């Protein structure tokens, strides 16, 4: 999750806000939950990490109010990089076990991750998720079971600040042999039980997303192997 603050005409330059933060003692600071929700014709937009705010804002609605935004919570102001939306897709490739669920993980850039990647021009989000999983773990047969919502994270990308929204899908494959896409820096592909995958996941954003979708994944995988007419 990221939040966004449109710099108002009364505010100092973003470089000054990077040093001083943002405050509004009377009615608080209004932060928007998506770039799309921002009012039209806004000027510079600050990207805010909610984990560094004084108090955790709720994760629903188009906007939230906080008492202040400390400098450490501002991601793109020193130097200022305009936020740019990026769309991606990825997969929880699940395997039901007698008493658990296993997930397919990739090892890239020194951490364990889930297979995912950026959408190509003209490609659907679902098509992107399927293609990226197939390419990154080296398989062909892949079935999409259900949608699992989105995650959002940001990172500097040249003179812009990429705001990547990844759309997640629960997937299944009958294949058991995997080949990491070394062109993408992937060194290993492995299955792990849910708790093991959660413990070794290299990104806090994905660990929190796993917590949100765990019950949905377990229920969907159980129903996918239940015989017709069973309860």
């Amino acid at each position: 999750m990221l939040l966004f603050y449109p710099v108002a005409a009364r505010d100092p330059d973003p470089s000054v806000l990077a040093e001083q933060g943002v405050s509004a003692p009377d009615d608080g600071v209004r932060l928007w939950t998506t770039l799309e929700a921002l009012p039209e014709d806004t000027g510079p937009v600050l990207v805010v990490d909610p984990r560094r705010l004084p108090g955790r804002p709720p994760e629903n609605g188009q906007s939230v109010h906080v008492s202040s935004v400390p400098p450490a919570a501002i991601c793109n102001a020193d130097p200022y990089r305009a936020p740019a939306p990026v769309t991606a897709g990825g997969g929880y490739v699940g395997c039901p076990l007698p008493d658990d669920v296993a997930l397919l993980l990739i090892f890239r850039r020194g951490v364990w991750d889930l297979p995912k990647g950026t959408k190509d021009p003209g490609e659907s989000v679902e098509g992107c998720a399927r293609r990226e999983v197939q390419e990154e773990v080296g398989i062909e047969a892949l079935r999409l079971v259900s949608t699992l919502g989105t995650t959002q994270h940001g990172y500097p990308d040249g003179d812009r600040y990429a705001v990547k929204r990844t759309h997640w899908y629960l997937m299944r494959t009958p294949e058991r042999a995997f080949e990491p896409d070394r062109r993408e820096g992937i060194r290993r592909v492995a299955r792990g039980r849910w708790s093991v995958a959660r413990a070794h996941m290299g990104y806090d954003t994905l660990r929190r997303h796993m917590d949100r979708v765990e019950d949905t994944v377990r229920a969907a995988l159980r129903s996918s192997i239940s015989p017709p007419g069973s309860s």
Side-chain angles (χ1 to χ4, degrees), residues 80-201:
Y80 176 71
R81 294 179 173 92
V86 177
T87 301
Y92 281 64
V93 184
C95 176
L97 304 175
D99 59 349
D100 204 349
V101 165
L103 288 179
L104 202 60
L105 305 177
I106 61 173
F107 191 76
R108 172 167 51 192
R109 303 188 186 98
V111 297
W112 288 101
D113 196 358
L114 295 175
K116 62 184 185 298
T118 303
K119 185 175 80 70
D120 288 338
E123 186 177 37
S124 69
V125 176
E126 182 178 303
C128 164
R130 183 191 300 274
R131 173 183 56 78
E132 288 289 346
V133 171
Q134 289 172 323
E135 292 175 353
E136 294 196 343
V137 305
I139 60 175
E140 290 293 332
L142 190 64
R143 177 168 65 91
L144 272 62
V145 178
S146 63
T147 60
L148 292 175
T150 65
T151 57
Q152 187 173 240
H153 72 284
Y155 52 91
D157 183 20
D159 60 356
R160 67 176 189 165
Y161 192 84
V163 176
K164 179 176 284 188
R165 182 178 296 276
T166 303
H167 298 253
W168 293 100
Y169 297 84
L170 177 59
M171 303 176 177
R172 293 200 62 185
T173 180
E175 299 187 32
R176 293 294 180 265
F178 309 103
E179 183 64 32
D181 187 353
R182 298 188 182 277
R183 299 168 302 175
E184 293 292 325
I186 301 171
R187 296 291 175 256
R188 292 181 60 193
V189 179
R191 284 196 190 276
R193 288 177 177 265
W194 187 276
S195 61
V196 175
R198 168 65 171 76
H200 287 82
M201 188 61 62

Side-chain angles (χ1 to χ4, degrees), residues 66 192 207:
V66 297
R207 288 192 295 271

Side-chain angles (χ1 to χ4, degrees), residues 5 10 22-31 64-68:
Y5 175 73
R10 66 179 182 275
V22 183
S23 62
D26 295 333
D27 54 358
V29 180
R30 187 179 189 183
L31 301 176
V64 297
H65 281 80
V66 297
S67 59
S68 64

